[in-house]
Amino acid sequence: MRTLISFAALLLSVVLLQLSTGGVGPLDALSGLALGFTPTEVGFLGSAHFLGFLIGCWWAPRLLGTVGHSRAFSAFAAAGAIGLLSHMIITTPLAWAIMRVASGLCVAGCYTIVESWMNAKVTNETRGRVMGGYRVVDMGASLVAQTLIAFLEPAHFVSYNLLAILCCAALIPLTLTTAQQPEVPEAPRLRPMLAIHKSPLAAAGVVVAGLTSAAFRMVGPIYGQEVGLRADQIGLFLAAFVAGGALAQYPAGWLADKFDRRWVLIFLSVAAILSSGLTVFAGTGGIAMVMTTAVIFGFTTFPIFSVSAAHAHDFANSSERVELSAALMFLFATGAIASPMISSALIGGFGPSALFIFIAAAHLVLVIFGLSRMRARPTNPERTPYVYAPRTTFTIGRLLGGARDKR
């Protein structure tokens, strides 16, 4: 019973954390524009978030080993709350970028602790159910977080205070649980070249997934405003992307387990190029068309990370899986850091359609690279099962456990 209560507390903390940190991205984009930030400066905020995320992914396991789960979680949540509360005290792009580093640090740190705690408590019998619940809760809270922009007034201290309250509330379930804190696991080594060595195509795939996801989530509100969407409609636009990604997981997994994963990856990238073009076309149409294309765009792009990860793990053994997952997350974060700055600068120079032209170009490069890699070597006939891999922390590979080794 204590284990179940512990999981409920952890998942509730995840919901509150996701609502808080997931809502700040679109709010910052619209607030920055309201305060006169340029599109490039707004994109810089998104890049700063993922820089903080990358630092947090590396630092969190080490801090966890020093002070324990509850204290480390409190420290990271406090950093996120301070970043949120500081927004309306200093309203300059550079100051906000520093605050977004704090929010990225909060996300990576808190998720690392949650996943470490869950991994220590699950058994082989419960791992599948726990991971299923974790994915549903994380994805559902992320979807709701995008819609908060409909209720949060841009560039207003109350809006940021409400998000800070949610961030602080995430402390309560985890720190007050009576379940005994688990032992601290050893931090995974960060070896980015391991992913490149195992599968150059998978490494390229996760970088493109980072470029796509960060560009849409962090710069999507600028696009939405440029094509005439209201704040509440921008929230639905972003939520539609997440919903499309959730709907894609089962069919993408079925295809990835049945066919050559390189062809599946190429097929998804071609579909992403087409959906990018469709989204550009929909920008001149009605609201229903814009929302529909957002679902299609999420459906075609969201699974690329998990398919790439599955392809990389086909060439790894059990002892390499945790470090390989960390390497793939590092490459994803690297793409996510670069993407908002590039895409926002393109929007500022060439208009809103430049966002999806940039994304389509990245996927075109992935298609060409995928076709060239198919000529370089055959795929591994001994494939691991497809696993939906949350893009959370470097430690997610440990939580997935032996799921990829099951035949």
Side-chain angles (χ1 to χ4, degrees):
M1 179 60 71
R2 283 193 173 188
T3 300
L4 294 176
I5 294 173
S6 174
F7 285 149
L10 291 171
L11 293 177
L12 180 56
S13 289
V14 167
V15 169
L16 294 169
L17 181 69
Q18 183 64 267
L19 290 175
S20 172
T21 58
V24 71
L27 178 61
D28 263 7
L30 297 184
S31 297
L33 293 174
L35 293 170
F37 294 5
T38 66
T40 303
E41 288 170 339
V42 172
F44 183 56
L45 302 181
S47 295
H49 173 88
F50 283 103
L51 176 61
F53 174 83
L54 186 61
I55 295 170
C57 283
W58 176 83
W59 183 37
R62 290 152 183 82
L63 181 64
L64 183 60
T66 304
V67 302
H69 289 73
S70 292
R71 289 179 179 177
F73 189 92
S74 300
F76 285 118
I82 291 169
L84 289 166
L85 292 169
S86 302
H87 269 72
M88 298 314 298
I89 298 176
I90 309 175
T91 54
T92 65
L94 180 59
W96 277 29
I98 295 172
M99 297 168 198
R100 288 304 299 277
V101 170
S103 72
L105 192 70
C106 170
V107 171
C110 290
Y111 269 87
T112 296
I113 291 151
V114 166
E115 290 170 3
S116 172
W117 195 318
M118 292 176 69
N119 180 67
K121 297 295 184 180
V122 297
T123 64
N124 289 334
E125 290 73 24
T126 62
R127 189 179 300 274
R129 293 194 299 275
V130 170
M131 276 304 301
Y134 179 48
R135 292 164 182 149
V136 169
V137 165
D138 181 59
M139 187 78 75
S142 176
L143 192 152
V144 174
Q146 309 309 309
T147 65
L148 290 180
I149 194 64
F151 311 100
L152 301 175
E153 182 180 348
H156 198 283
F157 74 95
V158 172
S159 300
Y160 287 99
N161 282 4
L162 290 173
L163 293 182
I165 289 171
L166 288 171
C167 188
C168 292
L171 282 162
I172 298 173
L174 188 140
T175 55
L176 293 186
T177 180
T178 58
Q180 185 177 0
Q181 295 188 51
E183 294 182 3
V184 177
E186 182 182 354
R189 288 191 300 168
L190 184 54
R191 299 164 56 198
M193 291 304 297
L194 176 64
I196 298 172
H197 173 71
K198 292 296 179 183
S199 174
L201 176 58
V206 296
V207 170
V208 170
L211 289 171
T212 300
S213 177
F216 192 91
R217 288 197 173 194
M218 299 299 172
V219 186
I222 301 178
Y223 172 85
Q225 191 171 76
E226 290 284 339
V227 299
L229 297 181
R230 302 190 310 268
D232 58 329
Q233 293 169 338
I234 290 174
L236 291 175
F237 178 65
L238 298 174
F241 166 75
V242 177
L247 292 172
Q249 291 308 316
Y250 179 80
W254 183 84
L255 290 171
D257 282 341
K258 189 172 182 63
F259 301 102
D260 188 330
R261 284 171 179 167
R262 297 171 299 179
W263 279 119
V264 175
L265 196 56
I266 291 170
F267 167 77
L268 286 171
S269 284
V270 170
I273 294 170
L274 295 176
S275 65
S276 294
L278 188 62
T279 306
V280 171
F281 175 77
T284 60
I287 299 301
M289 184 179 292
V290 171
M291 298 303 172
T292 301
T293 54
V295 173
I296 297 171
F297 182 76
F299 193 92
T300 57
T301 59
F302 216 92
I304 286 177
F305 179 87
S306 293
V307 174
S308 298
H311 182 59
H313 280 279
D314 288 344
F315 298 94
N317 57 49
S318 298
S319 63
E320 297 171 319
R321 300 213 186 282
V322 172
E323 292 182 4
L324 178 56
S325 294
L328 292 169
M329 273 304 307
F330 174 86
L331 294 173
F332 172 85
T334 302
I337 290 171
S339 180
M341 285 191 295
I342 297 172
S343 55
S344 60
L346 290 172
I347 287 179
F350 302 100
S353 62
L355 170 64
F356 291 97
I357 294 173
F358 165 68
I359 292 172
H363 283 279
L364 178 61
V365 171
L366 184 59
V367 169
I368 296 171
F369 186 62
L371 292 172
S372 68
R373 288 302 304 169
M374 291 188 73
R375 301 184 63 180
R377 71 172 178 182
T379 192
N380 188 348
E382 296 295 328
R383 291 186 296 174
T384 61
Y386 174 87
V387 175
Y388 164 55
R391 295 166 288 186
T392 48
T393 71
F394 290 172
T395 60
I396 187 65
R398 183 176 285 115
L399 183 56
L400 290 174
R404 297 189 189 274
D405 294 319
K406 295 177 181 177
R407 293 288 187 263

